[in-house]
Amino acid sequence: MEHLREAAKLLAQAQRVAVFTGAGISAESGVPTFRDALTGLWERFDAQSLATPQAFQEDPELVWGWYEWRRHRVTSVRPNAGHDAVAAIEAHAPHTAVITQNVDDLHERAGSAQSVHLHGSLFAPRCTICAEPAVLPALTGEPDGGRRLAPPSCASCGGMIRPGVVWFGESLPEAALEAAVRAAADADVLLTIGTSGLVYPAAEIPRLAARSGAAVIQVNPQPTPLDRIAAVNLHGPAAGTLPDLVSLAWPD
Ligand code: BV8
Ligand code: ZN
């Protein structure tokens, strides 16, 4: 409880807050994290080998099927109390930036409309040839066959459509990375939630905030490499911890 109080005090006093999230914040909505053994149809694949341009090159139907399965999963779940608490922080602390590594739209659906997506989104597919955004048909039920699905073709040039995410070995979108670096450098407090802090350059963001003098608060049930740079470590789940943190920081 002591740690929670300390974190709430830092948050309430902060003028500029950066919130940095990973897959852990969506776990309690039922979206598997990267570290979990991939559930259901995918337990025999490793996410890091599927989330690459090479995998899409070699077997576009397998990779497209995986992303459509994930898009379906996200579409069929709801934001949890952790996402809602992040939106509440934005309501209380006027200069708050939400930076996410996640490719789901749960922050947006909880009200964090300006979330910065460092690794793209399941909802922004584009053409591999002309980069034109593609409009995806609404998913009616779990993608059939589960595993393989042929990617659609571009309406403009007939090129193959790819998921709008950043794969391993691909550069992050410049504008998103710049916005995240600026928010981290300016922040008085950076709240890192549900990330193993292992994937770069995104994992640099909390470290940059700490170097720039921000107080880092971590919410994560397990220890991570970020424990070392955190002023306060709240070892608990996001949906269970964040609402308490917000109500302590801003008792209505
Ligand atoms: C790039 C989108 C090169 C796709 C993802 C050094 C510098 C630069 C690059 C590298 C480097 N060393 C290695 C690299 C290459 C690589 C990398 O970092 N590899 C790692 C494995 C070492 N980086 C890249 O390839 C990046 N690109 O560097 O380009 C380049 C440079 C110049 C010019 C050209 C090219 C691109 C990386 C982006 C990959 N895409 N996602 C998709 O989603 O399919 S990464 C993906 O995994 C996620 O987006 C996330 O970022 C990452 C890790 O996932 P987390 O979010 O942390 O989730 P994880 O499962 O790991 O952990 C969950 C946490 O939640 C756990 O701690 C758990 O305890 C906790 N948790 C569980 N339950 C809860 C909870 N927390 C709270 N509440 C709960 N209930
Ligand atoms: Zn095209």
mmCIF file of all heavy atoms in Angstrom, residues 92-120:
data_model
loop_
_atom_site.group_PDB
_atom_site.id
_atom_site.type_symbol
_atom_site.label_atom_id
_atom_site.label_comp_id
_atom_site.label_asym_id
_atom_site.label_seq_id
_atom_site.Cartn_x
_atom_site.Cartn_y
_atom_site.Cartn_z
ATOM 1 N N HIS A 92 -7.550 13.707 -15.906
ATOM 2 C CA HIS A 92 -7.100 14.476 -14.729
ATOM 3 C C HIS A 92 -5.817 15.262 -14.994
ATOM 4 O O HIS A 92 -5.655 16.370 -14.487
ATOM 5 C CB HIS A 92 -6.848 13.535 -13.536
ATOM 6 C CG HIS A 92 -8.101 13.052 -12.879
ATOM 7 N ND1 HIS A 92 -8.596 11.779 -13.069
ATOM 8 C CD2 HIS A 92 -8.983 13.660 -12.052
ATOM 9 C CE1 HIS A 92 -9.714 11.630 -12.369
ATOM 10 N NE2 HIS A 92 -9.971 12.755 -11.735
ATOM 11 N N ALA A 93 -4.894 14.667 -15.757
ATOM 12 C CA ALA A 93 -3.599 15.346 -15.986
ATOM 13 C C ALA A 93 -3.588 15.841 -17.431
ATOM 14 O O ALA A 93 -3.460 15.036 -18.349
ATOM 15 C CB ALA A 93 -2.452 14.365 -15.742
ATOM 16 N N PRO A 94 -3.754 17.149 -17.633
ATOM 17 C CA PRO A 94 -3.997 17.671 -18.984
ATOM 18 C C PRO A 94 -2.923 17.305 -20.002
ATOM 19 O O PRO A 94 -3.218 17.007 -21.141
ATOM 20 C CB PRO A 94 -4.072 19.177 -18.796
ATOM 21 C CG PRO A 94 -3.645 19.465 -17.395
ATOM 22 C CD PRO A 94 -3.684 18.212 -16.616
ATOM 23 N N HIS A 95 -1.646 17.307 -19.569
ATOM 24 C CA HIS A 95 -0.604 16.986 -20.559
ATOM 25 C C HIS A 95 -0.200 15.524 -20.395
ATOM 26 O O HIS A 95 0.798 15.210 -19.761
ATOM 27 C CB HIS A 95 0.618 17.891 -20.356
ATOM 28 C CG HIS A 95 0.281 19.346 -20.488
ATOM 29 N ND1 HIS A 95 0.000 19.914 -21.713
ATOM 30 C CD2 HIS A 95 0.130 20.319 -19.553
ATOM 31 C CE1 HIS A 95 -0.295 21.207 -21.509
ATOM 32 N NE2 HIS A 95 -0.221 21.476 -20.235
ATOM 33 N N THR A 96 -1.022 14.641 -20.900
ATOM 34 C CA THR A 96 -0.710 13.205 -20.828
ATOM 35 C C THR A 96 -0.575 12.652 -22.239
ATOM 36 O O THR A 96 -1.406 12.941 -23.100
ATOM 37 C CB THR A 96 -1.847 12.449 -20.099
ATOM 38 O OG1 THR A 96 -1.974 12.981 -18.789
ATOM 39 C CG2 THR A 96 -1.517 10.959 -19.997
ATOM 40 N N ALA A 97 0.494 11.879 -22.465
ATOM 41 C CA ALA A 97 0.668 11.205 -23.768
ATOM 42 C C ALA A 97 0.579 9.706 -23.519
ATOM 43 O O ALA A 97 1.217 9.194 -22.608
ATOM 44 C CB ALA A 97 2.032 11.548 -24.353
ATOM 45 N N VAL A 98 -0.239 9.022 -24.322
ATOM 46 C CA VAL A 98 -0.348 7.558 -24.215
ATOM 47 C C VAL A 98 0.428 6.955 -25.379
ATOM 48 O O VAL A 98 0.136 7.239 -26.543
ATOM 49 C CB VAL A 98 -1.818 7.102 -24.253
ATOM 50 C CG1 VAL A 98 -1.911 5.569 -24.196
ATOM 51 C CG2 VAL A 98 -2.598 7.718 -23.083
ATOM 52 N N ILE A 99 1.466 6.185 -25.034
ATOM 53 C CA ILE A 99 2.323 5.564 -26.058
ATOM 54 C C ILE A 99 2.178 4.057 -25.898
ATOM 55 O O ILE A 99 2.370 3.537 -24.789
ATOM 56 C CB ILE A 99 3.806 5.944 -25.816
ATOM 57 C CG1 ILE A 99 3.965 7.468 -25.794
ATOM 58 C CG2 ILE A 99 4.724 5.302 -26.835
ATOM 59 C CD1 ILE A 99 5.089 7.909 -24.871
ATOM 60 N N THR A 100 1.789 3.375 -26.973
ATOM 61 C CA THR A 100 1.610 1.931 -26.810
ATOM 62 C C THR A 100 2.430 1.137 -27.819
ATOM 63 O O THR A 100 2.658 1.603 -28.935
ATOM 64 C CB THR A 100 0.118 1.522 -26.882
ATOM 65 O OG1 THR A 100 0.022 0.124 -26.535
ATOM 66 C CG2 THR A 100 -0.469 1.753 -28.276
ATOM 67 N N GLN A 101 2.881 -0.050 -27.386
ATOM 68 C CA GLN A 101 3.542 -1.004 -28.285
ATOM 69 C C GLN A 101 2.485 -1.950 -28.860
ATOM 70 O O GLN A 101 2.796 -2.766 -29.724
ATOM 71 C CB GLN A 101 4.579 -1.825 -27.530
ATOM 72 C CG GLN A 101 5.670 -0.999 -26.878
ATOM 73 C CD GLN A 101 6.492 -1.846 -25.935
ATOM 74 O OE1 GLN A 101 7.486 -2.445 -26.341
ATOM 75 N NE2 GLN A 101 6.086 -1.930 -24.696
ATOM 76 N N ASN A 102 1.287 -1.857 -28.352
ATOM 77 C CA ASN A 102 0.236 -2.813 -28.741
ATOM 78 C C ASN A 102 -0.353 -2.454 -30.095
ATOM 79 O O ASN A 102 -0.366 -1.280 -30.487
ATOM 80 C CB ASN A 102 -0.874 -2.859 -27.678
ATOM 81 C CG ASN A 102 -0.327 -3.292 -26.318
ATOM 82 O OD1 ASN A 102 0.740 -3.919 -26.248
ATOM 83 N ND2 ASN A 102 -1.011 -2.922 -25.257
ATOM 84 N N VAL A 103 -0.841 -3.462 -30.764
ATOM 85 C CA VAL A 103 -1.444 -3.254 -32.085
ATOM 86 C C VAL A 103 -2.971 -3.388 -32.006
ATOM 87 O O VAL A 103 -3.646 -3.339 -33.030
ATOM 88 C CB VAL A 103 -0.861 -4.255 -33.120
ATOM 89 C CG1 VAL A 103 0.621 -3.959 -33.345
ATOM 90 C CG2 VAL A 103 -1.056 -5.710 -32.689
ATOM 91 N N ASP A 104 -3.473 -3.510 -30.748
ATOM 92 C CA ASP A 104 -4.930 -3.569 -30.599
ATOM 93 C C ASP A 104 -5.483 -2.134 -30.497
ATOM 94 O O ASP A 104 -4.713 -1.184 -30.405
ATOM 95 C CB ASP A 104 -5.317 -4.426 -29.370
ATOM 96 C CG ASP A 104 -4.816 -3.835 -28.039
ATOM 97 O OD1 ASP A 104 -5.024 -2.631 -27.802
ATOM 98 O OD2 ASP A 104 -4.208 -4.580 -27.241
ATOM 99 N N ASP A 105 -6.825 -2.032 -30.483
ATOM 100 C CA ASP A 105 -7.431 -0.669 -30.433
ATOM 101 C C ASP A 105 -8.129 -0.456 -29.087
ATOM 102 O O ASP A 105 -9.066 0.350 -28.969
ATOM 103 C CB ASP A 105 -8.420 -0.493 -31.586
ATOM 104 C CG ASP A 105 -9.600 -1.479 -31.503
ATOM 105 O OD1 ASP A 105 -9.516 -2.438 -30.691
ATOM 106 O OD2 ASP A 105 -10.592 -1.272 -32.230
ATOM 107 N N LEU A 106 -7.680 -1.169 -28.058
ATOM 108 C CA LEU A 106 -8.384 -1.102 -26.772
ATOM 109 C C LEU A 106 -8.187 0.244 -26.077
ATOM 110 O O LEU A 106 -9.101 0.744 -25.413
ATOM 111 C CB LEU A 106 -7.959 -2.276 -25.877
ATOM 112 C CG LEU A 106 -8.320 -3.656 -26.448
ATOM 113 C CD1 LEU A 106 -7.842 -4.779 -25.524
ATOM 114 C CD2 LEU A 106 -9.816 -3.796 -26.717
ATOM 115 N N HIS A 107 -7.024 0.881 -26.223
ATOM 116 C CA HIS A 107 -6.875 2.234 -25.646
ATOM 117 C C HIS A 107 -7.882 3.186 -26.303
ATOM 118 O O HIS A 107 -8.543 3.961 -25.616
ATOM 119 C CB HIS A 107 -5.457 2.768 -25.890
ATOM 120 C CG HIS A 107 -4.437 2.294 -24.898
ATOM 121 N ND1 HIS A 107 -4.571 2.432 -23.540
ATOM 122 C CD2 HIS A 107 -3.236 1.686 -25.079
ATOM 123 C CE1 HIS A 107 -3.516 1.937 -22.918
ATOM 124 N NE2 HIS A 107 -2.688 1.466 -23.829
ATOM 125 N N GLU A 108 -7.973 3.136 -27.612
ATOM 126 C CA GLU A 108 -8.905 4.031 -28.321
ATOM 127 C C GLU A 108 -10.338 3.764 -27.861
ATOM 128 O O GLU A 108 -11.091 4.692 -27.591
ATOM 129 C CB GLU A 108 -8.778 3.816 -29.836
ATOM 130 C CG GLU A 108 -7.506 4.416 -30.453
ATOM 131 C CD GLU A 108 -6.291 3.523 -30.304
ATOM 132 O OE1 GLU A 108 -6.359 2.467 -29.638
ATOM 133 O OE2 GLU A 108 -5.216 3.909 -30.827
ATOM 134 N N ARG A 109 -10.679 2.493 -27.747
ATOM 135 C CA ARG A 109 -12.068 2.168 -27.376
ATOM 136 C C ARG A 109 -12.366 2.524 -25.919
ATOM 137 O O ARG A 109 -13.513 2.658 -25.523
ATOM 138 C CB ARG A 109 -12.353 0.674 -27.649
ATOM 139 C CG ARG A 109 -12.490 0.383 -29.158
ATOM 140 C CD ARG A 109 -12.376 -1.086 -29.504
ATOM 141 N NE ARG A 109 -13.281 -1.938 -28.787
ATOM 142 C CZ ARG A 109 -13.151 -3.276 -28.757
ATOM 143 N NH1 ARG A 109 -12.152 -3.863 -29.388
ATOM 144 N NH2 ARG A 109 -14.003 -4.005 -28.088
ATOM 145 N N ALA A 110 -11.295 2.733 -25.107
ATOM 146 C CA ALA A 110 -11.507 3.163 -23.714
ATOM 147 C C ALA A 110 -11.494 4.691 -23.618
ATOM 148 O O ALA A 110 -11.678 5.254 -22.535
ATOM 149 C CB ALA A 110 -10.416 2.593 -22.815
ATOM 150 N N GLY A 111 -11.239 5.372 -24.734
ATOM 151 C CA GLY A 111 -11.295 6.841 -24.730
ATOM 152 C C GLY A 111 -9.957 7.519 -24.930
ATOM 153 O O GLY A 111 -9.878 8.750 -24.975
ATOM 154 N N SER A 112 -8.862 6.739 -25.046
ATOM 155 C CA SER A 112 -7.549 7.381 -25.295
ATOM 156 C C SER A 112 -7.391 7.535 -26.799
ATOM 157 O O SER A 112 -6.678 6.755 -27.454
ATOM 158 C CB SER A 112 -6.417 6.530 -24.710
ATOM 159 O OG SER A 112 -6.573 6.403 -23.315
ATOM 160 N N ALA A 113 -8.030 8.563 -27.334
ATOM 161 C CA ALA A 113 -8.157 8.675 -28.799
ATOM 162 C C ALA A 113 -6.829 8.988 -29.482
ATOM 163 O O ALA A 113 -6.634 8.663 -30.646
ATOM 164 C CB ALA A 113 -9.188 9.759 -29.122
ATOM 165 N N GLN A 114 -5.899 9.615 -28.768
ATOM 166 C CA GLN A 114 -4.652 10.059 -29.423
ATOM 167 C C GLN A 114 -3.487 9.111 -29.152
ATOM 168 O O GLN A 114 -2.342 9.518 -29.194
ATOM 169 C CB GLN A 114 -4.254 11.469 -28.902
ATOM 170 C CG GLN A 114 -5.346 12.520 -29.006
ATOM 171 C CD GLN A 114 -5.808 12.721 -30.446
ATOM 172 O OE1 GLN A 114 -4.983 12.692 -31.374
ATOM 173 N NE2 GLN A 114 -7.112 12.870 -30.634
ATOM 174 N N SER A 115 -3.777 7.853 -28.846
ATOM 175 C CA SER A 115 -2.672 6.949 -28.500
ATOM 176 C C SER A 115 -1.666 6.860 -29.641
ATOM 177 O O SER A 115 -2.041 6.784 -30.811
ATOM 178 C CB SER A 115 -3.214 5.540 -28.218
ATOM 179 O OG SER A 115 -4.204 5.621 -27.244
ATOM 180 N N VAL A 116 -0.371 6.876 -29.255
ATOM 181 C CA VAL A 116 0.706 6.756 -30.247
ATOM 182 C C VAL A 116 1.060 5.273 -30.384
ATOM 183 O O VAL A 116 1.392 4.613 -29.398
ATOM 184 C CB VAL A 116 1.947 7.556 -29.757
ATOM 185 C CG1 VAL A 116 3.134 7.329 -30.690
ATOM 186 C CG2 VAL A 116 1.606 9.042 -29.655
ATOM 187 N N HIS A 117 0.932 4.744 -31.617
ATOM 188 C CA HIS A 117 1.204 3.313 -31.832
ATOM 189 C C HIS A 117 2.614 3.134 -32.394
ATOM 190 O O HIS A 117 2.839 3.336 -33.589
ATOM 191 C CB HIS A 117 0.159 2.725 -32.792
ATOM 192 C CG HIS A 117 -1.146 2.392 -32.126
ATOM 193 N ND1 HIS A 117 -1.451 1.136 -31.684
ATOM 194 C CD2 HIS A 117 -2.196 3.175 -31.792
ATOM 195 C CE1 HIS A 117 -2.660 1.135 -31.112
ATOM 196 N NE2 HIS A 117 -3.142 2.363 -31.172
ATOM 197 N N LEU A 118 3.539 2.711 -31.539
ATOM 198 C CA LEU A 118 4.936 2.544 -32.002
ATOM 199 C C LEU A 118 5.069 1.365 -32.952
ATOM 200 O O LEU A 118 5.960 1.331 -33.792
ATOM 201 C CB LEU A 118 5.868 2.320 -30.802
ATOM 202 C CG LEU A 118 6.106 3.526 -29.896
ATOM 203 C CD1 LEU A 118 6.982 3.125 -28.710
ATOM 204 C CD2 LEU A 118 6.748 4.674 -30.679
ATOM 205 N N HIS A 119 4.184 0.369 -32.814
ATOM 206 C CA HIS A 119 4.306 -0.852 -33.623
ATOM 207 C C HIS A 119 3.114 -1.056 -34.536
ATOM 208 O O HIS A 119 2.823 -2.182 -34.929
ATOM 209 C CB HIS A 119 4.516 -2.065 -32.710
ATOM 210 C CG HIS A 119 5.821 -2.005 -31.982
ATOM 211 N ND1 HIS A 119 6.034 -2.641 -30.782
ATOM 212 C CD2 HIS A 119 6.986 -1.364 -32.279
ATOM 213 C CE1 HIS A 119 7.288 -2.411 -30.379
ATOM 214 N NE2 HIS A 119 7.876 -1.639 -31.274
ATOM 215 N N GLY A 120 2.417 0.031 -34.867
ATOM 216 C CA GLY A 120 1.315 -0.038 -35.825
ATOM 217 C C GLY A 120 0.044 -0.599 -35.215
ATOM 218 O O GLY A 120 -0.139 -0.579 -33.991
#
